[in-house]
Amino acid sequence: SMLAAMTFGNCGYSLPAAMGAKVAAPERNCVAYVGDGAWGMQLNEIMTCIRENIPTTAVVFNNGQWGAEKKNQVIWFGDRYIGAQLHNPWSYADIARSMHAEGITCTHVDQVEDALRQATKNQEEGKTTVLEMMVTKELGDPFRRDAMKLPVRHLTKYLPTMQVNESDSGQPTDL
């Protein structure tokens, strides 16, 4: 089974959904996949996992940005970033350990398989794990390109910011 927010675009969904799935079927491993932007809205649930003994795994993709929002700003707003950059000097794996969960950080793709195996083993032993994946700032396509169109500026003072075409590259200029 897979539980994901996908086209709804909501934040804070993945770990609570995985927790509910784990409570409903405790014999199954449950993994939440989340970006670091949305993780800020749900990392506190790690404490709930520990307190209520709901062993789950959260894979946090840390790219230092609100990826979905930034992609919209790249495509439709001419690379003018507002609130999309996350300057997080901390480690989510360290935060998980401070909450008495397991924390693993992957800085290279060669570490992912072992980390996932360890997280699976941890869950089978009744432990919650945060697996922090350090990833590039490259952005994928939005789930709902049809949900937004280029903004139309009506006030004269904003006319210089009007875009007539979407971004050619589709990638941020601050890579």
Side-chain angles (χ1 to χ4, degrees):
S1 331
M2 179 183 169
L3 303 169
M6 302 305 283
T7 60
F8 296 117
N10 49 345
C11 292
Y13 170 85
S14 63
L15 184 58
M19 292 164 61
K22 186 66 173 185
V23 169
E27 72 285 355
R28 296 180 67 175
N29 284 327
C30 293
V31 181
Y33 295 95
V34 60
D36 54 341
W39 183 243
M41 296 184 182
Q42 55 192 307
L43 70 88
N44 58 314
E45 296 301 340
I46 293 297
M47 291 185 292
T48 305
C49 290
I50 300 302
R51 184 180 59 245
E52 302 300 328
N53 193 27
I54 307 170
T56 55
T57 300
V59 177
V60 180
F61 298 97
N62 188 342
N63 63 359
Q65 59 196 358
W66 279 94
E69 297 311 316
K70 189 169 184 180
K71 183 66 172 191
N72 292 339
Q73 292 172 28
V74 167
I75 293 174
W76 292 293
F77 297 99
D79 292 297
R80 293 187 319 276
Y81 309 124
I82 299 173
Q85 310 289 49
L86 300 175
H87 302 286
N88 302 335
W90 51 79
S91 160
Y92 295 114
D94 287 347
I95 293 171
R97 285 190 288 274
S98 75
M99 295 179 185
H100 300 272
E102 302 297 313
I104 303 169
T105 302
C106 291
T107 56
H108 193 272
V109 69
D110 293 343
Q111 301 169 321
V112 174
E113 182 180 353
D114 289 341
L116 284 171
R117 288 187 190 285
Q118 184 60 52
T120 300
K121 181 179 177 215
N122 290 348
Q123 198 171 138
E124 290 166 356
E125 293 173 357
K127 301 175 189 172
T128 292
T129 303
V130 172
L131 177 48
E132 181 177 25
M133 304 277 196
M134 306 307 291
V135 297
T136 68
K137 290 186 174 287
E138 185 176 345
L139 299 171
D141 280 333
F143 287 117
R144 295 286 313 273
R145 280 197 79 114
D146 64 320
M148 289 185 69
K149 297 188 179 351
L150 286 168
V152 177
R153 306 293 185 202
H154 296 285
L155 297 176
T156 306
K157 67 181 180 178
Y158 295 118
L159 288 178
T161 68
M162 185 151 51
Q163 302 294 120
V164 272
N165 295 312
E166 291 184 5
S167 165
D168 288 331
S169 72
Q171 290 300 319
T173 56
D174 67 339
L175 291 177

